[in-house]
Amino acid sequence: MKQEKLRNLRKLKGISQEKMAKILSTDPSNYSRKERGEVRIHEDEWKKIAESLSVSISDIKEEEEMVFSNKNSTFKDSAQYQYIQNFNYSIIENLQDYIDFLKQKICELNEENQILKSQNDFSS
């Protein structure tokens, strides 16, 4: 269960197993075994992992099952709930960036339009 949370959070943050292996000073195959639960993750490694994912250790290691519900779905544990929340925030941030980009383009096009209109006025 912990390893599934770890894998989901790592993927959510866009960190590869290779990069995580470097963070833990191990090779990618060993890290992969740790993530699958075949090899124990030591406490100091949990700290490094949590720091690299910008989460608390308890967010990854939480053992007890908690249920979060909303109108549309039920989440069986806090990591899954956090994963969905982070995913939603990520989408919102991306959309906001795109909106800002489009606003900038609109301003640029309006300025270009004004220049073209003024040139057209001189031609008439």
Side-chain angles (χ1 to χ4, degrees), residues 41-93:
I41 300 174
H42 300 279
E43 202 60 35
D44 62 320
E45 293 174 320
W46 280 116
K47 289 177 186 176
K48 290 177 184 177
I49 291 168
E51 286 175 12
S52 67
L53 297 174
S54 302
V55 296
S56 69
I57 294 174
S58 63
D59 286 341
I60 304 170
K61 289 183 65 174
E62 186 175 304
E63 299 272 352
E64 70 229 38
E65 187 171 281
M66 298 171 66
V67 177
F68 295 89
S69 296
N70 68 17
K71 293 178 185 173
N72 301 324
S73 57
T74 300
F75 303 101
K76 293 190 177 182
D77 59 58
S78 63
Q80 184 181 13
Y81 178 77
Q82 188 64 41
Y83 175 85
I84 298 296
Q85 287 296 97
N86 288 342
F87 183 74
N88 289 340
Y89 290 134
S90 176
I91 290 172
I92 291 168
E93 287 176 1

Side-chain angles (χ1 to χ4, degrees), residues 7-50:
R7 182 176 44 255
N8 289 339
L9 285 169
R10 178 185 57 76
K11 287 180 178 180
L12 176 69
K13 300 290 184 168
I15 299 175
S16 68
Q17 286 188 335
E18 290 79 11
K19 183 173 181 180
M20 195 63 78
K22 285 181 184 178
I23 291 168
L24 297 181
S25 302
T26 189
D27 60 276
S29 63
N30 188 44
Y31 175 78
S32 180
R33 287 191 297 273
K34 289 177 182 285
E35 196 172 86
R36 290 192 309 267
E38 298 170 6
V39 175
R40 181 174 179 262
I41 300 174
H42 300 279
E43 202 60 35
D44 62 320
E45 293 174 320
W46 280 116
K47 289 177 186 176
K48 290 177 184 177
I49 291 168

Side-chain angles (χ1 to χ4, degrees), residues 44 74 91 95 111 119 122-123:
D44 62 320
T74 300
I91 290 172
L95 289 173
E111 289 173 10
Q119 290 174 350
F122 287 124
S123 300

